[in-house]
Coordinates of all heavy atoms in Angstrom, one line a residue:
M1 N 90.6 122.6 121.4 CA 91.7 121.6 121.4 C 91.8 121.0 120.0 O 90.8 120.5 119.5 CB 91.4 120.6 122.5 CG 92.6 119.6 122.6 SD 92.4 118.6 124.1 CE 91.4 117.3 123.4
T2 N 93.0 120.9 119.5 CA 93.2 120.2 118.2 C 93.8 118.8 118.5 O 94.7 118.6 119.3 CB 94.3 121.0 117.4 OG1 93.8 122.4 117.3 CG2 94.5 120.4 116.0
I3 N 93.1 117.8 117.8 CA 93.6 116.5 117.9 C 94.0 116.0 116.5 O 93.3 116.1 115.6 CB 92.5 115.5 118.4 CG1 92.1 116.0 119.8 CG2 92.9 114.1 118.5 CD1 90.9 115.2 120.4
K4 N 95.2 115.4 116.5 CA 95.7 114.9 115.2 C 95.1 113.5 114.9 O 94.8 112.7 115.8 CB 97.2 114.7 115.3 CG 98.0 116.1 115.4 CD 99.5 115.8 115.4 CE 100.2 117.1 115.5 NZ 101.6 116.9 115.6
V5 N 95.0 113.2 113.6 CA 94.5 111.9 113.2 C 95.3 110.7 113.9 O 94.8 109.7 114.3 CB 94.5 111.7 111.7 CG1 94.2 110.3 111.2 CG2 93.6 112.7 111.0
E6 N 96.6 110.9 113.9 CA 97.5 109.9 114.5 C 97.1 109.6 115.9 O 97.2 108.5 116.4 CB 99.0 110.3 114.4 CG 99.6 110.3 113.0 CD 99.1 111.5 112.2 OE1 98.5 112.4 112.7 OE2 99.3 111.5 110.9
E7 N 96.8 110.7 116.6 CA 96.4 110.5 118.0 C 95.1 109.7 118.2 O 94.9 108.9 119.1 CB 96.3 111.8 118.7 CG 97.6 112.6 118.9 CD 97.5 114.0 119.3 OE1 96.3 114.4 119.7 OE2 98.4 114.7 119.3
K8 N 94.2 110.0 117.3 CA 92.9 109.2 117.3 C 93.1 107.8 116.9 O 92.5 106.9 117.5 CB 91.9 109.9 116.3 CG 91.4 111.2 116.8 CD 90.6 111.2 118.0 CE 89.2 110.5 117.8 NZ 88.5 110.5 119.1
L9 N 94.0 107.5 115.9 CA 94.2 106.2 115.5 C 94.8 105.4 116.7 O 94.6 104.2 116.8 CB 95.2 106.1 114.3 CG 94.5 106.6 113.0 CD1 95.6 106.7 111.9 CD2 93.4 105.7 112.6
F10 N 95.6 106.0 117.5 CA 96.3 105.4 118.6 C 95.3 104.9 119.6 O 95.6 104.0 120.4 CB 97.3 106.3 119.2 CG 98.2 105.7 120.3 CD1 99.2 104.8 119.9 CD2 98.0 106.0 121.6 CE1 100.0 104.2 120.8 CE2 98.8 105.4 122.6 CZ 99.8 104.5 122.2
E11 N 94.1 105.4 119.6 CA 93.1 105.0 120.6 C 92.4 103.7 120.2 O 91.7 103.1 121.0 CB 92.1 106.1 120.8 CG 92.7 107.3 121.5 CD 91.7 108.5 121.6 OE1 90.6 108.4 121.0 OE2 92.0 109.4 122.3
N12 N 92.6 103.3 118.9 CA 92.0 102.0 118.5 C 92.8 100.9 119.0 O 94.0 101.0 119.3 CB 91.9 102.0 117.0 CG 91.0 103.0 116.4 OD1 90.0 103.4 117.0 ND2 91.4 103.5 115.2
R13 N 92.2 99.7 119.0 CA 93.0 98.5 119.3 C 92.8 97.6 118.1 O 91.8 97.6 117.4 CB 92.5 97.8 120.6 CG 92.7 98.6 121.8 CD 94.2 98.8 122.1 NE 94.5 99.7 123.3 CZ 94.7 101.0 123.2 NH1 94.7 101.5 122.0 NH2 94.9 101.7 124.2
Y14 N 93.8 96.7 117.9 CA 93.7 95.9 116.7 C 94.2 94.5 117.0 O 95.2 94.3 117.7 CB 94.6 96.4 115.6 CG 94.4 95.8 114.3 CD1 93.4 96.3 113.4 CD2 95.1 94.7 113.9 CE1 93.2 95.7 112.2 CE2 94.9 94.1 112.7 CZ 93.9 94.6 111.8 OH 93.7 94.0 110.6
R15 N 93.3 93.5 116.7 CA 93.7 92.1 116.9 C 94.1 91.4 115.6 O 93.2 91.3 114.7 CB 92.5 91.4 117.6 CG 92.9 90.0 118.1 CD 92.0 89.5 119.1 NE 92.3 88.1 119.5 CZ 91.4 87.1 119.5 NH1 90.2 87.3 119.2 NH2 91.8 85.9 119.8
V16 N 95.3 91.1 115.5 CA 95.8 90.5 114.3 C 95.4 89.0 114.1 O 95.6 88.2 115.1 CB 97.4 90.6 114.2 CG1 97.9 89.9 112.9 CG2 97.8 92.0 114.2
D17 N 94.9 88.6 113.0 CA 94.6 87.2 112.7 C 95.8 86.7 111.9 O 95.9 86.7 110.7 CB 93.3 87.2 111.8 CG 92.7 85.8 111.8 OD1 93.3 84.9 112.4 OD2 91.6 85.6 111.2
E18 N 96.7 86.1 112.7 CA 98.0 85.7 112.1 C 97.8 84.7 110.9 O 97.1 83.8 111.0 CB 98.8 85.0 113.2 CG 99.4 85.9 114.3 CD 100.4 86.9 113.8 OE1 100.9 86.7 112.7 OE2 100.7 87.8 114.6
G19 N 98.5 85.1 109.8 CA 98.4 84.2 108.6 C 97.1 84.3 107.8 O 97.0 83.6 106.9
R20 N 96.2 85.1 108.2 CA 94.9 85.2 107.5 C 94.6 86.7 107.2 O 93.7 87.3 107.8 CB 93.8 84.6 108.3 CG 94.0 83.1 108.5 CD 92.8 82.5 109.2 NE 91.6 82.6 108.5 CZ 90.6 81.7 108.5 NH1 90.8 80.6 109.3 NH2 89.5 81.9 107.8
A21 N 95.4 87.3 106.4 CA 95.1 88.7 106.0 C 93.8 88.8 105.3 O 93.5 88.0 104.5 CB 96.3 89.2 105.1
H22 N 93.0 89.8 105.7 CA 91.7 89.9 105.1 C 91.6 90.7 103.8 O 90.6 90.8 103.2 CB 90.7 90.5 106.1 CG 91.0 91.9 106.5 ND1 92.0 92.2 107.4 CD2 90.4 93.1 106.2 CE1 92.1 93.5 107.6 NE2 91.1 94.1 106.9
I23 N 92.8 91.3 103.5 CA 92.9 92.0 102.2 C 94.2 91.5 101.5 O 95.2 91.3 102.2 CB 93.0 93.6 102.4 CG1 91.8 94.1 103.3 CG2 93.1 94.3 101.1 CD1 91.9 95.5 103.6
A24 N 94.1 91.4 100.2 CA 95.3 91.0 99.5 C 95.3 91.7 98.1 O 94.3 92.1 97.6 CB 95.2 89.4 99.2
I25 N 96.5 91.9 97.7 CA 96.7 92.4 96.3 C 96.7 91.2 95.4 O 97.5 90.2 95.6 CB 98.1 93.1 96.2 CG1 98.0 94.4 97.0 CG2 98.4 93.5 94.7 CD1 99.4 95.1 97.1
K26 N 95.8 91.2 94.4 CA 95.6 90.0 93.5 C 96.9 89.8 92.7 O 97.4 88.6 92.6 CB 94.4 90.2 92.6 CG 93.1 90.3 93.3 CD 92.0 90.6 92.3 CE 90.7 90.8 93.0 NZ 89.6 91.2 92.0
A27 N 97.3 90.8 92.0 CA 98.5 90.6 91.1 C 99.5 91.7 91.3 O 99.3 92.8 90.8 CB 98.0 90.6 89.6
P28 N 100.5 91.4 92.1 CA 101.5 92.5 92.5 C 102.1 93.1 91.2 O 102.5 94.3 91.3 CB 102.5 91.7 93.3 CG 101.8 90.5 93.8 CD 100.8 90.2 92.8
E29 N 102.3 92.4 90.1 CA 102.9 93.0 89.0 C 102.1 94.1 88.3 O 102.6 95.0 87.7 CB 103.3 91.9 87.9 CG 102.1 91.2 87.3 CD 101.5 90.1 88.1 OE1 101.9 89.9 89.3 OE2 100.7 89.3 87.6
V30 N 100.8 94.0 88.5 CA 99.9 95.1 88.0 C 100.2 96.4 88.7 O 100.2 97.4 88.1 CB 98.4 94.7 88.2 CG1 97.5 95.8 87.9 CG2 98.1 93.5 87.3
C31 N 100.4 96.3 90.0 CA 100.7 97.5 90.8 C 102.0 98.1 90.3 O 102.1 99.3 90.1 CB 100.9 97.1 92.3 SG 99.5 96.3 93.1
R32 N 103.0 97.3 90.1 CA 104.3 97.8 89.7 C 104.3 98.3 88.2 O 105.0 99.3 87.9 CB 105.3 96.6 89.9 CG 106.8 97.0 89.7 CD 107.7 95.8 89.7 NE 107.3 94.9 88.6 CZ 107.1 93.6 88.8 NH1 107.3 93.1 90.0 NH2 106.8 92.9 87.8
D33 N 103.7 97.6 87.3 CA 103.8 97.8 85.9 C 102.7 98.6 85.3 O 102.9 99.2 84.2 CB 104.0 96.5 85.1 CG 105.2 95.7 85.7 OD1 106.1 96.3 86.2 OD2 105.1 94.5 85.6
Q34 N 101.5 98.6 85.8 CA 100.3 99.1 85.1 C 99.6 100.3 85.9 O 98.8 101.0 85.3 CB 99.3 98.0 84.8 CG 99.9 96.9 83.9 CD 98.9 95.8 83.7 OE1 97.7 96.1 83.7 NE2 99.3 94.6 83.6
C35 N 99.9 100.4 87.2 CA 99.1 101.4 87.9 C 100.0 102.6 88.2 O 100.9 102.6 89.0 CB 98.7 100.8 89.3 SG 97.7 101.8 90.2
Q36 N 99.7 103.7 87.5 CA 100.5 104.9 87.6 C 100.2 105.6 88.9 O 101.2 106.1 89.5 CB 100.2 105.8 86.4 CG 100.8 105.4 85.1 CD 100.7 106.4 84.0 OE1 99.8 107.3 84.1 NE2 101.6 106.4 83.1
L37 N 99.0 105.7 89.3 CA 98.7 106.5 90.5 C 99.0 105.8 91.8 O 99.4 106.5 92.8 CB 97.2 106.9 90.5 CG 96.7 107.9 89.5 CD1 95.2 108.1 89.6 CD2 97.4 109.3 89.8
Q38 N 98.9 104.5 91.8 CA 99.1 103.8 93.1 C 98.4 104.5 94.2 O 99.0 104.8 95.3 CB 100.6 103.6 93.3 CG 101.3 102.7 92.3 CD 102.7 102.3 92.6 OE1 103.4 103.1 93.3 NE2 103.2 101.2 92.1
S39 N 97.2 104.7 94.0 CA 96.4 105.5 95.0 C 96.3 104.9 96.3 O 96.1 105.6 97.3 CB 95.0 105.8 94.4 OG 94.4 104.6 94.0
C40 N 96.4 103.6 96.4 CA 96.3 102.9 97.7 C 97.4 103.4 98.6 O 97.3 103.4 99.9 CB 96.4 101.4 97.6 SG 97.9 100.8 96.7
T41 N 98.6 103.8 98.1 CA 99.7 104.2 98.9 C 99.5 105.6 99.6 O 100.2 106.0 100.5 CB 101.0 104.2 98.1 OG1 100.9 105.2 97.1 CG2 101.3 102.8 97.6
W42 N 98.5 106.3 99.1 CA 98.2 107.6 99.7 C 96.8 107.8 100.2 O 96.5 108.7 101.0 CB 98.6 108.8 98.8 CG 98.2 108.8 97.4 CD1 98.9 108.4 96.3 CD2 96.9 109.1 96.9 NE1 98.1 108.4 95.2 CE2 96.9 108.9 95.5 CE3 95.7 109.6 97.5 CZ2 95.8 109.1 94.7 CZ3 94.6 109.8 96.7 CH2 94.6 109.6 95.3
C43 N 95.9 106.8 99.9 CA 94.5 107.0 100.4 C 94.3 106.3 101.7 O 93.3 106.6 102.4 CB 93.6 106.5 99.3 SG 93.4 104.6 99.3
C44 N 95.1 105.3 102.0 CA 94.8 104.5 103.2 C 95.0 105.3 104.5 O 96.2 105.7 104.7 CB 95.6 103.2 103.2 SG 95.4 102.3 104.7
P45 N 94.0 105.5 105.3 CA 94.2 106.3 106.5 C 95.1 105.6 107.6 O 95.7 106.3 108.4 CB 92.8 106.5 107.1 CG 92.0 105.4 106.5 CD 92.6 105.1 105.2
A46 N 95.3 104.3 107.4 CA 96.1 103.6 108.4 C 97.5 103.3 107.8 O 98.3 102.7 108.5 CB 95.4 102.2 108.7
G47 N 97.8 103.7 106.6 CA 99.1 103.5 106.0 C 99.4 102.1 105.7 O 100.6 101.7 105.9
C48 N 98.5 101.3 105.3 CA 98.7 99.9 105.2 C 99.5 99.6 103.9 O 100.1 98.5 103.8 CB 97.4 99.1 105.1 SG 96.5 99.1 106.7
Y49 N 99.4 100.5 102.9 CA 100.1 100.2 101.6 C 101.4 101.2 101.6 O 101.2 102.4 101.8 CB 99.2 100.6 100.5 CG 98.0 99.7 100.3 CD1 96.9 99.9 101.0 CD2 98.0 98.6 99.4 CE1 95.7 99.2 100.9 CE2 96.9 97.9 99.2 CZ 95.7 98.1 100.0 OH 94.6 97.3 99.8
T50 N 102.5 100.6 101.2 CA 103.7 101.4 101.1 C 104.4 101.1 99.8 O 104.2 100.0 99.2 CB 104.7 101.2 102.2 OG1 104.9 99.7 102.3 CG2 104.2 101.7 103.5
K51 N 105.1 102.0 99.3 CA 105.8 101.8 98.0 C 107.2 101.2 98.3 O 107.9 101.6 99.2 CB 106.1 103.2 97.3 CG 104.8 103.8 96.8 CD 105.2 105.1 96.0 CE 103.9 105.7 95.4 NZ 104.2 106.7 94.5
G52 N 107.5 100.2 97.5 CA 108.8 99.6 97.5 C 109.8 100.4 96.6 O 109.4 101.1 95.7
D53 N 111.1 100.1 96.8 CA 112.1 100.8 96.0 C 112.0 100.5 94.5 O 112.4 101.3 93.7 CB 113.5 100.5 96.5 CG 113.7 101.1 97.9 OD1 113.0 102.0 98.2 OD2 114.6 100.5 98.6
D54 N 111.5 99.3 94.2 CA 111.4 98.9 92.8 C 110.1 99.2 92.1 O 109.8 98.7 91.1 CB 111.7 97.4 92.7 CG 110.7 96.6 93.5 OD1 109.8 97.2 94.3 OD2 110.7 95.3 93.5
G55 N 109.3 100.0 92.8 CA 108.0 100.4 92.2 C 106.9 99.5 92.6 O 105.7 99.7 92.2
S56 N 107.2 98.5 93.4 CA 106.2 97.6 93.9 C 105.4 98.2 95.0 O 105.7 99.3 95.5 CB 106.8 96.3 94.4 OG 107.6 96.5 95.5
V57 N 104.3 97.6 95.4 CA 103.5 98.0 96.5 C 103.4 96.9 97.5 O 103.1 95.8 97.2 CB 102.1 98.5 96.0 CG1 101.1 98.7 97.2 CG2 102.1 99.7 95.1
I58 N 103.6 97.3 98.8 CA 103.6 96.3 99.9 C 102.4 96.6 100.8 O 102.2 97.7 101.1 CB 104.9 96.5 100.7 CG1 106.1 96.2 99.8 CG2 105.0 95.5 101.9 CD1 107.3 97.1 100.1
L59 N 101.7 95.5 101.1 CA 100.5 95.7 101.9 C 100.7 94.9 103.2 O 101.1 93.8 103.2 CB 99.3 95.0 101.1 CG 98.0 94.8 101.9 CD1 97.5 96.1 102.5 CD2 97.0 94.1 101.1
S60 N 100.4 95.7 104.3 CA 100.4 95.0 105.6 C 99.0 95.4 106.2 O 98.8 96.6 106.4 CB 101.5 95.5 106.5 OG 101.3 95.1 107.8
T61 N 98.2 94.5 106.5 CA 96.8 94.8 106.9 C 96.7 95.1 108.4 O 95.6 95.4 108.9 CB 95.8 93.7 106.6 OG1 96.3 92.5 107.2 CG2 95.7 93.5 105.1
D62 N 97.8 95.0 109.1 CA 97.8 95.3 110.6 C 97.3 96.8 110.7 O 97.9 97.7 110.1 CB 99.1 95.1 111.2 CG 99.6 93.7 111.2 OD1 98.8 92.8 110.6 OD2 100.7 93.4 111.7
G63 N 96.4 97.0 111.5 CA 95.9 98.4 111.7 C 94.8 98.9 110.8 O 94.4 100.0 110.9
C64 N 94.4 98.0 109.9 CA 93.4 98.4 108.9 C 92.1 98.8 109.6 O 91.7 98.1 110.5 CB 93.1 97.2 108.0 SG 91.6 97.4 106.9
L65 N 91.5 99.9 109.1 CA 90.3 100.4 109.8 C 89.0 99.9 109.1 O 87.9 100.3 109.5 CB 90.3 101.9 109.7 CG 91.6 102.6 110.3 CD1 91.6 104.1 110.0 CD2 91.6 102.4 111.8
E66 N 89.2 99.0 108.1 CA 88.0 98.4 107.4 C 87.1 99.4 106.8 O 85.9 99.3 106.7 CB 87.3 97.5 108.4 CG 88.1 96.4 109.0 CD 87.5 95.7 110.1 OE1 86.3 95.7 110.3 OE2 88.2 95.1 111.0
C67 N 87.7 100.5 106.2 CA 86.9 101.6 105.6 C 86.6 101.3 104.2 O 85.6 101.8 103.6 CB 87.7 102.9 105.7 SG 89.2 102.9 104.7
G68 N 87.3 100.4 103.5 CA 87.0 100.0 102.1 C 87.5 101.0 101.0 O 87.3 100.8 99.9
T69 N 88.2 102.0 101.5 CA 88.7 103.0 100.5 C 89.7 102.4 99.5 O 89.6 102.8 98.3 CB 89.4 104.2 101.3 OG1 88.6 104.7 102.3 CG2 89.8 105.3 100.3
C70 N 90.5 101.6 99.9 CA 91.5 101.0 98.9 C 90.8 100.2 97.8 O 91.2 100.3 96.7 CB 92.5 100.1 99.7 SG 91.8 98.8 100.7
R71 N 89.8 99.5 98.2 CA 89.1 98.7 97.2 C 88.4 99.6 96.2 O 88.4 99.4 95.0 CB 88.0 97.8 97.9 CG 87.2 97.0 96.9 CD 86.3 96.0 97.6 NE 85.4 96.7 98.5 CZ 84.3 96.1 99.0 NH1 84.1 94.8 98.8 NH2 83.5 96.7 99.8
L72 N 87.8 100.7 96.7 CA 87.1 101.6 95.8 C 88.1 102.3 94.8 O 87.8 102.4 93.6 CB 86.3 102.7 96.6 CG 85.0 102.2 97.2 CD1 84.5 103.4 98.1 CD2 84.0 101.8 96.2
L73 N 89.2 102.8 95.4 CA 90.1 103.5 94.5 C 90.9 102.6 93.6 O 91.6 103.1 92.7 CB 91.1 104.4 95.4 CG 90.5 105.6 96.1 CD1 91.5 106.5 96.7 CD2 89.6 106.4 95.1
C74 N 90.8 101.3 93.8 CA 91.5 100.4 92.9 C 90.5 99.9 91.8 O 90.8 98.9 91.1 CB 92.1 99.3 93.7 SG 93.2 98.2 92.7
S75 N 89.4 100.6 91.7 CA 88.4 100.0 90.8 C 88.9 99.9 89.3 O 88.5 99.1 88.6 CB 87.1 100.9 90.8 OG 87.4 102.2 90.5
E76 N 89.8 100.8 88.9 CA 90.3 100.8 87.6 C 91.0 99.4 87.3 O 90.8 98.9 86.2 CB 91.3 101.9 87.3 CG 91.8 101.9 85.9 CD 92.9 103.0 85.7 OE1 93.2 103.8 86.6 OE2 93.6 103.0 84.6
H77 N 91.8 99.0 88.2 CA 92.5 97.7 88.0 C 91.8 96.5 88.7 O 92.2 95.4 88.4 CB 93.9 97.9 88.5 CG 94.7 98.9 87.7 ND1 95.1 98.6 86.4 CD2 95.1 100.1 88.0 CE1 95.8 99.7 85.9 NE2 95.8 100.6 86.9
D78 N 90.9 96.8 89.6 CA 90.2 95.7 90.3 C 91.3 94.7 90.9 O 91.2 93.5 90.7 CB 89.2 95.0 89.4 CG 88.3 94.0 90.2 OD1 88.2 94.2 91.4 OD2 87.9 93.1 89.6
N79 N 92.2 95.2 91.6 CA 93.4 94.4 92.0 C 93.4 94.2 93.5 O 94.4 93.7 94.0 CB 94.7 95.1 91.5 CG 95.8 94.1 91.4 OD1 95.6 92.9 91.3 ND2 97.0 94.6 91.5
V80 N 92.4 94.6 94.2 CA 92.4 94.4 95.6 C 91.3 93.4 96.0 O 90.1 93.5 95.7 CB 92.1 95.7 96.4 CG1 91.8 95.5 97.9 CG2 93.2 96.7 96.2
E81 N 91.7 92.3 96.6 CA 90.7 91.3 97.1 C 90.4 91.7 98.6 O 91.3 91.7 99.4 CB 91.4 89.9 97.0 CG 90.4 88.8 97.3 CD 91.0 87.5 97.0 OE1 91.5 87.2 95.9 OE2 91.1 86.7 97.9
W82 N 89.2 91.9 98.8 CA 88.8 92.6 100.1 C 87.7 91.8 100.8 O 86.7 91.5 100.2 CB 88.3 94.0 99.8 CG 88.4 95.0 101.0 CD1 89.4 95.9 101.2 CD2 87.4 95.1 102.0 NE1 89.1 96.6 102.3 CE2 87.9 96.2 102.9 CE3 86.2 94.5 102.4 CZ2 87.2 96.6 104.0 CZ3 85.6 94.9 103.5 CH2 86.0 95.9 104.3
S83 N 87.9 91.6 102.1 CA 86.8 91.1 102.9 C 87.0 91.6 104.4 O 88.1 92.1 104.7 CB 86.8 89.5 102.9 OG 88.0 89.1 103.4
Y84 N 86.0 91.4 105.2 CA 86.1 91.8 106.6 C 86.9 90.7 107.3 O 86.9 89.5 106.9 CB 84.8 91.9 107.3 CG 84.1 93.2 106.9 CD1 83.0 93.2 106.1 CD2 84.5 94.4 107.4 CE1 82.3 94.4 105.7 CE2 83.9 95.6 107.1 CZ 82.8 95.6 106.2 OH 82.1 96.7 105.9
P85 N 87.6 91.0 108.4 CA 88.3 90.0 109.2 C 87.3 89.1 109.8 O 86.1 89.4 109.9 CB 89.0 90.8 110.3 CG 89.0 92.2 109.8 CD 87.8 92.4 108.9
R86 N 87.8 87.9 110.2 CA 86.9 87.0 111.0 C 86.4 87.7 112.3 O 87.0 88.6 112.8 CB 87.6 85.8 111.4 CG 87.9 84.9 110.2 CD 88.4 83.5 110.7 NE 89.7 83.6 111.5 CZ 90.1 82.6 112.3 NH1 89.4 81.6 112.5 NH2 91.3 82.8 112.9
G87 N 85.3 87.2 112.8 CA 84.7 87.7 114.0 C 85.8 87.7 115.1 O 86.5 86.7 115.3
G88 N 85.9 88.8 115.9 CA 86.8 88.8 117.0 C 88.2 89.3 116.6 O 89.0 89.6 117.5
Y89 N 88.4 89.5 115.3 CA 89.7 90.0 114.8 C 89.5 91.4 114.2 O 88.4 91.8 113.8 CB 90.4 89.1 113.9 CG 90.8 87.8 114.5 CD1 89.9 86.7 114.5 CD2 92.0 87.6 115.1 CE1 90.3 85.5 115.1 CE2 92.4 86.4 115.7 CZ 91.5 85.4 115.7 OH 91.9 84.2 116.3
G90 N 90.6 92.0 113.9 CA 90.6 93.3 113.3 C 90.5 94.5 114.2 O 90.9 94.4 115.4
V91 N 90.0 95.6 113.7 CA 90.0 96.8 114.5 C 88.9 96.8 115.6 O 87.8 96.3 115.4 CB 89.9 98.1 113.6 CG1 88.5 98.1 113.0 CG2 90.2 99.3 114.4
L92 N 89.3 97.4 116.7 CA 88.3 97.5 117.8 C 88.2 99.0 118.1 O 89.2 99.6 118.6 CB 88.7 96.8 119.1 CG 89.0 95.3 118.9 CD1 89.7 94.7 120.1 CD2 87.7 94.5 118.6
Y93 N 87.1 99.6 117.8 CA 87.0 101.1 118.0 C 86.6 101.3 119.4 O 85.5 101.0 119.9 CB 85.9 101.7 117.1 CG 86.4 101.7 115.6 CD1 85.9 100.7 114.7 CD2 87.3 102.6 115.2 CE1 86.3 100.8 113.4 CE2 87.7 102.7 113.8 CZ 87.2 101.7 113.0 OH 87.6 101.7 111.7
K94 N 87.5 101.8 120.2 CA 87.3 102.0 121.6 C 86.6 103.3 122.0 O 85.9 103.4 122.9 CB 88.6 101.9 122.4 CG 89.2 100.5 122.3 CD 90.4 100.4 123.3 CE 89.9 100.3 124.7 NZ 91.0 100.1 125.7
F95 N 86.9 104.4 121.2 CA 86.4 105.7 121.5 C 85.6 106.3 120.4 O 85.8 107.5 120.1 CB 87.5 106.6 122.0 CG 88.2 106.1 123.2 CD1 89.4 105.4 123.2 CD2 87.6 106.2 124.5 CE1 90.0 104.9 124.3 CE2 88.2 105.7 125.6 CZ 89.4 105.1 125.5
G96 N 84.9 105.5 119.6 CA 84.0 106.1 118.6 C 84.7 106.3 117.3 O 85.8 105.9 117.0
Ligands
LIG101 S1 95.6 101.1 93.4 FE1 95.3 98.8 93.1 S2 96.6 98.3 91.3 FE2 97.2 100.4 92.0 S3 98.9 100.0 93.3 FE3 97.1 100.0 94.6 S4 96.4 97.8 94.7 FE4 97.9 98.0 93.0
LIG102 S1 90.2 99.2 104.1 FE1 90.8 101.3 104.6 S2 92.2 101.2 106.3 FE2 92.0 99.1 105.4 S3 93.7 98.9 104.0 FE3 91.9 99.7 102.8 S4 92.1 101.9 102.9 FE4 93.5 101.1 104.5

């Protein structure tokens, strides 16, 4: 049986901590003006980073899997402020 990543992601549950995003872009202008690869927009398994029409990058942490990939791939610009969500919030892995 073949299972798609999207189907597995759907099995997770996520509790949003309203107004307290656990990841932030430090300087949005760096994303727009200095980062050619914008790797966060294609590395995030949850699709939290998207490209804006003006070359900016938009981050929504809802659904974040807390994998840390975006922080690692942004090491060149060190432009991602990253922490785990508060206890009781964030992703809940229901099926492994
Ligand atoms: S990789 Fe870092 S600097 Fe580049 S677009 Fe993403 S957050 Fe911005
Ligand atoms: S920690 Fe992982 S899932 Fe969360 S925003 Fe970064 S790359 Fe996406």
Side-chain angles (χ1 to χ4, degrees):
M1 185 172 81
T2 304
I3 299 176
K4 293 180 179 175
V5 172
E6 290 77 11
E7 292 171 9
K8 291 295 287 179
L9 288 173
F10 188 69
E11 293 177 347
N12 296 327
R13 294 294 174 267
Y14 192 86
R15 188 161 174 229
V16 177
D17 196 359
E18 290 292 345
R20 295 183 63 150
H22 63 286
I23 304 174
I25 293 174
K26 295 178 187 173
E29 67 276 13
V30 170
C31 303
R32 189 187 60 230
D33 302 333
Q34 298 176 34
C35 185
Q36 287 192 331
L37 286 178
Q38 295 189 330
S39 51
C40 57
T41 61
W42 46 261
C43 77
C44 174
C48 292
Y49 295 82
T50 52
K51 290 186 181 192
D53 292 338
D54 60 352
S56 62
V57 170
I58 300 146
L59 167 63
S60 170
T61 57
D62 297 1
C64 168
L65 303 172
E66 300 167 24
C67 66
T69 307
C70 55
R71 178 174 59 169
L72 284 174
L73 287 192
C74 189
S75 57
E76 181 187 351
H77 295 287
D78 188 24
N79 200 24
V80 171
E81 191 173 302
W82 201 100
S83 61
Y84 284 107
R86 290 192 296 161
Y89 293 94
V91 68
L92 305 169
Y93 291 102
K94 294 190 71 176
F95 297 100

